[in-house]
Amino acid sequence: VITAVSLIAALLMRMSNPAQRIISTFDDYFSWFVTVLPIATGLFIPVRPGFIRYEDLLAIHILSVVLLMIWLPFGKLGHSFLVFITRGTTGMVFERRGAKT
């Protein structure tokens, strides 16, 4: 619940701040949606609203997590994991060029 509230607060801050709104792209909003979707569906699983079967809700949750994993390397979310790989490869490239650290 804290994560969902924090992500909603981050979205509201992004939409209310004029500077952030100008530099926001489709990637920012889609990454937010893809991150919130598994959290929201995961929070609905224990509650199980009467109009949705448990199996359907679980399938939607699993598909939303799969969508997040597919989007992860292509969007800006990939920077959280790929930063270590890119820093290592950049260091190797500059080492070959003779840069001293």
Side-chain angles (χ1 to χ4, degrees), residues 25-36 67 71 77:
T25 61
F26 171 77
D27 183 26
D28 297 317
Y29 293 111
F30 190 72
S31 294
W32 180 87
F33 175 74
V34 168
T35 305
V36 167
L67 178 65
W71 179 251
L77 291 174

Side-chain angles (χ1 to χ4, degrees), residues 2-91:
I2 292 171
T3 303
V5 170
S6 299
L7 284 169
I8 290 170
L11 178 67
L12 292 175
M13 185 177 68
R14 177 176 290 278
M15 293 175 74
S16 64
N17 187 344
Q20 285 184 340
R21 197 174 6 168
I22 289 172
I23 63 171
S24 295
T25 61
F26 171 77
D27 183 26
D28 297 317
Y29 293 111
F30 190 72
S31 294
W32 180 87
F33 175 74
V34 168
T35 305
V36 167
L37 194 61
I39 294 168
T41 57
L43 288 173
F44 280 128
I45 287 177
V47 176
R48 268 194 301 161
F51 58 91
I52 299 177
R53 293 182 357 193
Y54 172 76
E55 292 83 9
D56 296 337
L57 194 55
L58 184 63
I60 292 169
H61 178 66
I62 291 171
L63 289 173
S64 66
V65 172
V66 168
L67 178 65
L68 176 64
M69 293 298 127
I70 290 172
W71 179 251
L72 190 70
F74 300 110
K76 290 180 183 176
L77 291 174
H79 290 291
S80 59
F81 298 104
L82 298 175
V83 65
F84 304 109
I85 296 170
T86 57
R87 290 193 64 126
T89 55
T90 303

